[in-house]
């Protein structure tokens, strides 16, 4: 990570007078990565406990879809304890037959999920979404 990007992250984390830190972190993900949506959900014992931050309505709707349908990248990331990167949900229909078409219907074309851990405890998932197919790339 270059020094400009590190400085941006430090500024976001150090701003005690701005919006809540999780909202600022999601905004930073949107600004620094080629994504159009982001969210953080708490998961305990494999069960969705609720969203703690969502960038927009679509991110919240897609997060809800995963947990209502019981499949999707956030659930897979939590179970595998590793990132799940799907740059084109059209090709993920076989993997997630309910979630992928529903997410596409919401306008999400790509989804990326990263488990959040505190030591050995899984506490949630950071989900990133794109409205066009493609990988995440930093700017």
């Amino acid at each position: 990570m270059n020094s400009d990007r590190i400085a941006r992250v430090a500024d976001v984390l150090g701003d005690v007078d701005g919006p809540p830190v999780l909202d600022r972190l999601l905004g930073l993900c949107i600004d620094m990565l080629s994504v159009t949506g982001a969210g953080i959900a708490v998961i305990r014992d494999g069960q969705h406990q609720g969203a703690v931050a969502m960038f927009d309505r679509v991110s919240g709707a897609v997060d809800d879809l995963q947990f209502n349908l019981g499949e999707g990248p956030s659930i897979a990331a939590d179970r595998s304890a590793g990132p799940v990167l799907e740059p084109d949900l059209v090709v993920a229909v076989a993997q997630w037959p309910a979630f992928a078409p529903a997410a596409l219907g919401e306008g999400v074309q790509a989804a990326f999920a990263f488990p959040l851990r505190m030591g050995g405890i899984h506490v949630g998932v950071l989900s990133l979404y794109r409205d066009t197919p493609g990988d995440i790339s930093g700017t």
Side-chain angles (χ1 to χ4, degrees):
M1 186 178 283
N2 68 35
S3 61
D4 291 337
R5 293 177 80 185
I6 292 170
R8 288 176 68 190
V9 172
D11 287 345
V12 164
L13 294 176
D15 179 10
V16 295
D17 295 323
V21 69
L22 293 179
D23 292 340
R24 292 183 304 215
L25 286 172
L26 293 180
L28 191 62
C29 288
I30 300 298
D31 289 345
M32 293 178 74
L33 304 171
S34 55
V35 297
T36 54
I40 297 173
V42 173
I43 299 174
R44 186 176 61 221
D45 298 325
Q47 299 298 313
H48 184 254
Q49 301 297 308
V52 293
M54 287 292 151
F55 180 75
D56 62 2
R57 184 206 64 78
V58 172
S59 299
V62 174
D63 182 71
D64 287 344
L65 281 172
Q66 293 183 74
F67 294 101
N68 290 333
L69 297 170
E71 64 183 39
S74 294
I75 292 171
D78 180 64
R79 287 183 183 149
S80 71
V84 173
L85 312 173
E86 185 47 68
D88 189 350
L89 285 175
V90 169
V91 300
V93 172
Q95 181 178 4
W96 301 311
F99 169 75
L104 289 164
E106 289 287 339
V108 171
Q109 300 284 313
F112 312 92
F114 302 89
L116 302 174
R117 301 176 71 176
M118 293 179 69
I121 300 170
H122 298 244
V123 294
V125 176
L126 167 66
S127 301
L128 305 173
Y129 304 107
R130 287 176 50 102
D131 60 7
T132 58
D135 290 318
I136 295 175
S137 63
T139 56

